[in-house]
Every structure is written in C-alpha cells, then in structure tokens.
Amino acid sequence: MEKKLCVIGLGYIGLPTAAVFADSGWKVTGIDTNPIVVETLNKGNVHIEENGLEEIVDRVVKNGSLTARMTPVNANVYIIAVPTPHNPDLTANLNYLKSAVRSIIPVIESGNTIIVESTIPPRTMQDVVNPLLIKEGFITGENIHLAHCPERVLPGKILDELVFNNRIVGGLDPISTEVAVDVYRTFVKGNILKTSAENAEMAKLMENTYRDVNIALANELTKISENLNINPLEVISLANEHPRVNIHQPGPGVGGHCLAVDPYFIIEKDPVNSLLISNARKINESMPGFVVEKVKQAIGSNSTVTLFGLAYKGDIDDIRESPALKVYKQLIDCGYSVKPYDPHVKQEQVDFNLYSLEDSLKNSDMVVILTDHSEFKLLDWKQITGLMRNDYVLDTKGCLNKCTLKNYFNYDNLYELKPNTISLTY
Ligand code: SAJ
C-alpha cells in the first residue's frame, strides 16, 4: 500500500501523531484550520509544549515527510484528531468532527481508510460519522474503511506512549478493523486490541471516568477527614498498601480535556443510569470552591493570594478545564488580590496578568499550590516564604513532601485551619 496519510487537526494529539507517522515511513500532510499552526509547522517549529516533539518535528519537516496545509489532500488514510468540546449544557459538541469529515469528502476515494481518534460519545461512529459518508455514496466495509481508534496518551509522555501503549481499534465492520490495525502496526509496539467501534468509544470514556470517579472518592475523603480530624493523605497511603486497592490523590479539582469532560459523554447518552458518574463530577467540580473556602478560613478576606500553577497538571502548559482557573476566578470574585505564577504557562494563554516568581510573592499572605510542577518542589521554601508578607502555604497537591514550614497546610492538616484563629501581619 502507498503510505500517504492526512491528519486532520494538529493539536495535542494530532501533531505528535502526524510526526510519529512521518518518522515511520509515511508521507504525512497535517491539516489545521489555524494558519498560524500551519505556518509554524512548515518552518519545522511546534506550537505546543511536549517532551521531544520539537526534535522529531524538525527532523520530519526537514526531510520532507511532514508538511502542513489548511485543506485536506488525497491520501490513503485519514486520521481525524479534532477537539470534541462540550456545549454549555455539557453535551458533546461534534461540530469540529462533522466538519472534519465533510472536509475530506471531496478528496476521499474508493479504498481509503478513515480513522477517528477524537474522543466521542458512544455510538457516534454509527449514528453521526457513518451517515455522513453513506450520504455521499460510500459503503463502509466495501469501498471505504471506517474505524475508531481512541487516543490514550498522557500529556508530557505523548511520544513514548504513542509507541508503547496498547491501542484499541474498533472498526464499523471486521475488514475496517483489520485495515486500521495495519495502519497502527507501522509504529505501535504495544498490543493492538480489536473490537467494534461502539466498544472502543465506551472503553476510552470509561478509562477516564474510572479515574474521575476514583479522584472524587479521594476528594470526598478529604472533606470527611477535615470534618473528623483525620489525615486523608495518610489514610490513602495506608489503604493503598492493600494489594487490590488504589485510591487516587485528592486535589483542587480535576482538569484537562479528558477526565473533566469524558464522563459527560456517557451521562448525556443515559442520564438515568449514570448516577455515580454524575455525582463524581459534582464532587470534583466542588473542589475549587473548597480550596477558596480554606483560603478564607486561613487568612480571611482583603488579603493577597499567590497562586502557584495554572496548568491542570504538573510539568505541562495545558490550562484546559484547569481547576486553578476556577480558583483564580472565585478568589477574584471574593475580592482577593490574586497573583498567579506558572513557569510553564505563557501570558498569551490567559486574559489576566501573570507574575514572575518574585513579583508574585511581594506582599502576599498565602501561596496556594494548585499544580505539582517539578519547579515548585525544587524551590527553597524558607526563602520563598521570607519574601512574603505572611508566610502561609496551602499545598493542594501534596507537592512539598515532609515540609517543616510553620504555616504549611496540605490536605492532611486542613482541620488545623480553624476560622479566624490566625493573625496576619500587615
Ligand atoms: N488528578 C487528581 N488526582 C489523581 C490523578 C489526577 O486530582 O490522583 C487530576 C490531575 O491533577 C488533573 C486531572 O486529574 O487535573 C487529569 O489528570 P490525569 O493525569 O489523570 O489525566 P489526563 O487528562 O492528563 O490524561 C488522561 C489519561 N487517562 C488515563 O490515565 C486513564 C490519558 O492516558 C488519556 O490519554 C487522556 O486522559 C485522554 O486523552 O483521555
């Protein structure tokens, strides 16, 4: 088979995927509707932060195996990796997906393979994608192949996980499954698991829902523990000594485009039976408010709060659905002066002021750690708190292990933060 591939959507998943295929003998055209993304890529540069991506993109653009443009060209295989955000009512917005499918219709030919990697509600391949192709006279399994192969990579480790993770490939029919498996075999070293499109859709959603529900359990434990003067982090580590227990870690909430979004794709399809999933969402959504409540208890109002970390998790620049943004907004709404610092996030990513490390600490009463960036663990915290007006630290990620600072609080000792017991120095 001639190895020409078109990747539609050059974001966090599409760009690394395009680069890895291009590095494995495919002639790849990356498609994006954003001209800046296209221009940046054609210069051999990248517009997102991901370990090792710059080097591989530079190589495949220079050797001509990866080029970018704004509209699709003919290829043998099309991989769609566009965002599937949620609507205000929390149902999946499939507009990008539908328009990606429509954009390739003029260039697809008999024998081509179309693979959707975007995360989608169960039955979307059957009920939304396939009908768009049928309308144009294509017959899946006969003159085209159609499959869902959900991406399952972790930001920060994408290039490694693309190659070594097991992959689920779900075709609309058995031939489509086999053809799509052959596509991924060119570089995937993990197992390739064959199934139906709808099982693939649901398996992907349940992976992230499992984590969301498990994190909600840890967050609920945190709230109960605060009430009962118990140390939840210690409880989790003790319980996890059991060979079949793996409670996740509590935090300021759940962010990212996956765990915070995917459960809603299941809820929308069967709300009556999704009670646990939807309660877990509510618990995790309540955590930014819980953090703000702790700030209030510790330092009262009319104070200055430094936020360490806006990214939704450590060592990345991704702020999508980040609970830190919600904490920021709620603190502002409560009248606090808020100074966010994040060594990974750039000013143009947000519509409020970001501070340098030093400026963020000036006149500050409390640092709230919201992201577990490695940089924060390496700081000299005695020196950091010395630069502040008051030296309170609230570590929502349990970042500073064995911290001995006097006014250090993490989820283990929240019960010590009794309202109005702390006097501030002005
Ligand atoms: N979090 C906690 N406690 C934990 C673990 C995570 O509060 O114990 C929070 C993080 O701080 C973050 C959020 O959850 O805000 C999500 O982080 P994550 O690292 O669990 O997940 P993602 O969204 O970065 O990546 C997930 C991964 N899915 C699983 O591990 C099942 C990844 O493999 C998927 O490819 C990705 O979602 C996706 O695309 O769906």
Side-chain angles (χ1 to χ4, degrees), residues 4 6-7 40 59 87 146-147 163 199 228 240 250 276 309 319 336 368 380:
K4 274 198 300 177
C6 228
V7 177
T40 308
R59 181 165 70 238
N87 294 312
L146 183 60
V163 176
N199 286 350
L228 303 181
N240 286 353
L276 178 62
I319 57 167
Y336 287 91
V368 182
D380 176 346

Side-chain angles (χ1 to χ4, degrees), residues 104-173:
I104 60 172
I105 282 171
V107 289
I108 45 179
E109 287 171 356
S110 182
N112 285 172
T113 301
I114 299 147
I115 297 167
V116 175
E117 287 206 10
S118 309
T119 306
I120 44 181
R123 307 202 61 82
T124 301
M125 293 298 290
Q126 298 266 15
D127 298 344
V128 179
V129 178
N130 202 25
L132 289 173
L133 296 161
I134 290 172
K135 215 169 91 192
E136 302 300 323
F138 292 106
I139 305 169
T140 309
E142 278 188 27
N143 57 12
I144 52 154
H145 311 293
L146 183 60
H148 179 49
C149 177
E151 60 82 9
R152 306 163 95 192
V153 287
L154 200 64
K157 288 189 182 171
I158 293 180
L159 290 173
D160 197 50
E161 293 209 356
L162 271 177
V163 176
F164 293 103
N165 282 5
N166 299 334
R167 266 333 272 238
I168 300 174
V169 175
L172 271 275
D173 59 276

Side-chain angles (χ1 to χ4, degrees), residues 52-118:
L53 185 61
E54 218 163 337
E55 292 89 306
I56 178 168
V57 164
D58 180 61
R59 181 165 70 238
V60 293
V61 170
K62 272 195 187 132
N63 72 20
S65 43
L66 175 62
T67 49
R69 43 181 282 140
M70 290 178 68
T71 50
V73 289
N74 178 257
N76 318 98
V77 178
Y78 298 85
I79 291 184
I80 297 177
V82 292
T84 43
H86 56 60
N87 294 312
D89 69 355
L90 301 175
T91 56
N93 176 344
L94 298 177
N95 290 342
Y96 295 117
L97 174 65
K98 288 189 223 164
S99 83
V101 175
R102 289 194 189 103
S103 78
I104 60 172
I105 282 171
V107 289
I108 45 179
E109 287 171 356
S110 182
N112 285 172
T113 301
I114 299 147
I115 297 167
V116 175
E117 287 206 10
S118 309

Side-chain angles (χ1 to χ4, degrees), residues 381-401:
W381 277 88
K382 257 210 150 85
Q383 195 188 1
I384 290 290
T385 47
L387 295 170
M388 298 163 66
R389 179 168 56 191
N390 283 289
D391 60 355
Y392 293 96
V393 177
L394 174 59
D395 179 3
T396 70
K397 294 297 291 181
C399 234
L400 312 186
N401 201 13

Side-chain angles (χ1 to χ4, degrees), residues 13 117 119 150-156 158 161 165 203-212 214-216 218-219 246-260 262 281 284 287 311-314 316 318 320-324 370-372 396-397:
I13 300 302
E117 287 206 10
T119 306
E151 60 82 9
R152 306 163 95 192
V153 287
L154 200 64
I158 293 180
E161 293 209 356
N165 282 5
K204 157 75 194 195
L205 296 174
M206 280 312 290
E207 290 164 12
N208 285 332
T209 301
Y210 161 81
R211 275 177 81 73
D212 195 50
N214 198 329
I215 296 164
N219 283 332
N246 176 25
I247 306 176
H248 289 10
Q249 293 300 310
V254 168
H257 183 62
C258 307
L259 273 63
D262 293 359
R281 280 281 71 235
N284 290 336
M287 291 313 285
Y312 82 85
K313 62 188 234 177
I316 60 167
D318 193 340
R320 288 177 298 174
E321 312 293 329
S322 177
L370 296 168
T371 309
D372 48 354
T396 70
K397 294 297 291 181

